[in-house]
Amino acid sequence: MEHLNTLQSWIDESERIVFFGGAGVSTESGIPDFRSVDGLYNQKFEYPPETIISHSFFERNPEYFFRFYREKMLPLGFAPNITHKTLARWEKEGKLLGIVTQNIDGLHQKAGSKRVYELHGSVLRNYCRNCHKFYPAEFVKEARGIPRCTCGGIVKPDVVLYEESLNEDTLIKSIQAIEQADLLIVAGTSLTVYPAAGLIRYYHGSRLVLINRDATGYDDYANLVFHEKLGEIFSKLH
């Protein structure tokens, strides 16, 4: 309770909150994460998920990639949860500087957030590799086999696959936001995926908060740590 009171007072006093989130932010909306007991990495497929969602596998076997992608990585029809909604409200109140997310589900925007830096892209954006024509997620979901543009090119989701680089502009804006933060809340991430996890090193303040169900390698680095579900914390914040 004391930790929660401290967090609330920090939020009340802050004007440049930055939220850095991972898969745990969306699990309470029903979207499975990658590394938990029932996450994608612990399910059985012909190939490891890391292999299927790599650039080289996509090039080699796009049909299998899209079969896996539609079944496991295209989270349509999910609703924002208390965490998404609270962050959107803080932004409206002028307290939140931005959200840096590793998620690709677009739920922050669905909740009303405007300044969202999507490190790993978004399933909601899809482009033809030939002519760059835009297609919505529903087009990819409903296509049979490999989704193709009217020009014949493959329509690829704007998500960062393994072996691909993060978008440089998104990365720069994320770093700038974190550097300007007077309160950095890092939540729902195991902080094991780089370069994303290394971004919290750009925060030089004294109010770094970690909220994650399990311990992370950065727990000792933080000023306040919660090993609880995000919803349980955010439902008590205002």
Side-chain angles (χ1 to χ4, degrees):
M1 192 63 186
E2 187 188 332
H3 271 23
L4 201 61
N5 290 339
T6 302
L7 176 56
Q8 185 62 65
S9 69
W10 286 0
I11 290 163
D12 294 341
E13 293 163 13
S14 297
E15 296 175 345
R16 298 189 311 280
I17 301 170
V18 171
F19 180 87
F20 179 102
V25 178
S26 294
T27 49
E28 288 172 50
S29 288
I31 299 173
D33 70 355
F34 270 46
R35 288 179 172 75
S36 69
V37 178
D38 9 338
L40 280 182
Y41 282 1
N42 291 301
Q43 296 179 23
K44 302 297 178 205
F45 298 96
E46 289 174 47
Y47 308 92
E50 306 102 306
T51 301
I52 302 169
I53 54 176
S54 67
H55 178 81
S56 51
F57 188 91
F58 173 82
E59 296 288 355
R60 195 168 63 245
N61 196 343
E63 193 153 358
Y64 193 98
F65 168 88
F66 278 108
R67 197 163 44 141
F68 175 88
Y69 178 80
R70 283 189 193 97
E71 189 184 334
K72 298 295 178 187
M73 293 185 66
L74 203 44
L76 302 181
F78 291 90
N81 59 50
I82 185 69
T83 303
H84 298 108
K85 291 172 185 173
T86 302
L87 293 169
R89 178 166 52 77
W90 288 351
E91 185 182 271
K92 283 197 188 90
E93 292 168 356
K95 296 181 71 65
L96 187 85
L97 195 60
I99 294 167
V100 179
T101 181
Q102 295 172 276
N103 295 340
I104 57 175
D105 50 48
L107 287 182
H108 285 296
Q109 291 91 330
K110 208 171 183 178
S113 293
K114 308 290 184 205
R115 289 188 297 275
V116 184
Y117 306 114
E118 297 171 309
L119 292 172
H120 297 150
S122 171
V123 299
L124 304 181
R125 298 187 300 268
N126 304 272
Y127 299 96
C128 171
R129 299 183 84 195
N130 287 353
C131 71
H132 307 294
K133 182 180 174 182
F134 170 84
Y135 286 88
E138 289 74 17
F139 175 84
V140 176
K141 183 85 171 171
E142 291 158 15
R144 293 197 172 185
I146 301 166
R148 291 197 179 270
C149 176
T150 47
C151 78
I154 294 177
V155 176
K156 182 182 181 291
D158 186 18
V159 297
V160 180
L161 304 178
Y162 284 105
E163 304 163 354
E164 292 181 344
S165 302
L166 301 189
N167 178 279
E168 197 173 337
D169 186 53
T170 305
L171 198 53
I172 289 167
K173 285 176 177 169
S174 300
I175 290 169
Q176 287 172 341
I178 289 168
E179 284 179 330
Q180 292 171 48
D182 57 6
L183 168 61
L184 178 62
I185 301 174
V186 180
T189 172
S190 55
L191 293 171
T192 55
V193 176
Y194 286 84
L199 293 188
I200 69 172
R201 293 281 181 183
Y202 287 94
Y203 175 67
H204 303 300
S206 56
R207 292 182 171 183
L208 171 60
V209 181
L210 284 189
I211 307 170
N212 198 53
R213 216 169 39 183
D214 306 312
T216 78
Y218 282 84
D219 282 12
D220 292 341
Y221 188 67
N223 304 104
L224 207 54
V225 177
F226 297 88
H227 289 153
E228 293 172 62
K229 286 186 176 178
L230 265 175
E232 289 172 8
I233 301 293
F234 269 77
S235 61
K236 293 168 187 160
L237 299 173
H238 54 77

